[in-house]
Amino acid sequence: QVQLVESGGGLVKAGGSLTLSCAVSGGSFITWAMAWFRQAPGKERESVASISRSGSLTYYSDFVKGRFNISRDSSKNSVYLQMNDLELGDTAVYYCAAARLGIPVSAREYDYWGQGTPVTVVS
């Protein structure tokens, strides 16, 4: 049984930093592309960042470029999202996702999901 478990969310002041972690078990982590999505109240789930199975390719949505960094550690079956210079608009529940094929942009093409970790940015 595949499980993705996020952690690291919380309350942070604008301009601050947080690092989210996602631990993967029960599957072939090294063969999957991984991604972070987020969903704010009343909004659709949106892509934040994604990373190839090797870690050599990364993609970021325009609204996080230069502020967030996605990485993965195959020895720990984990993927991370380093978030810097957080803004009020970054408030959302952040989800980790895994894709067996390619590096999809659409959430619908991801096969496995975590339960989410909330991030709240305050002024």
Side-chain angles (χ1 to χ4, degrees), residues 68-104:
F68 291 10
N69 183 68
I70 187 171
S71 61
R72 64 190 296 163
D73 185 342
S74 295
S75 68
K76 297 181 180 179
N77 279 9
S78 294
V79 63
Y80 307 96
L81 186 68
Q82 172 69 41
M83 304 186 294
N84 300 316
D85 194 21
L86 283 160
E87 303 171 353
L88 298 180
D90 294 320
T91 294
V93 177
Y94 284 72
Y95 297 90
C96 172
R100 290 177 293 178
L101 296 175
I103 313 175

Side-chain angles (χ1 to χ4, degrees), residues 8-109:
L11 185 72
V12 63
K13 286 189 175 181
S17 298
L18 278 177
T19 298
L20 306 182
S21 301
C22 173
V24 180
S25 61
S28 302
F29 176 78
I30 60 172
T31 68
W32 297 340
M34 301 296 298
W36 288 95
F37 287 77
R38 70 185 187 186
Q39 188 166 17
K43 294 188 176 181
E44 292 189 356
R45 191 168 298 190
E46 60 183 359
S47 173
V48 175
S50 55
I51 187 167
S52 63
R53 63 183 68 180
S54 69
S56 61
L57 297 174
T58 57
Y59 301 94
Y60 298 91
S61 293
D62 286 344
F63 53 79
V64 302
K65 278 182 181 177
R67 299 190 297 125
F68 291 10
N69 183 68
I70 187 171
S71 61
R72 64 190 296 163
D73 185 342
S74 295
S75 68
K76 297 181 180 179
N77 279 9
S78 294
V79 63
Y80 307 96
L81 186 68
Q82 172 69 41
M83 304 186 294
N84 300 316
D85 194 21
L86 283 160
E87 303 171 353
L88 298 180
D90 294 320
T91 294
V93 177
Y94 284 72
Y95 297 90
C96 172
R100 290 177 293 178
L101 296 175
I103 313 175
V105 175
S106 171
R108 288 175 294 186
E109 295 182 71

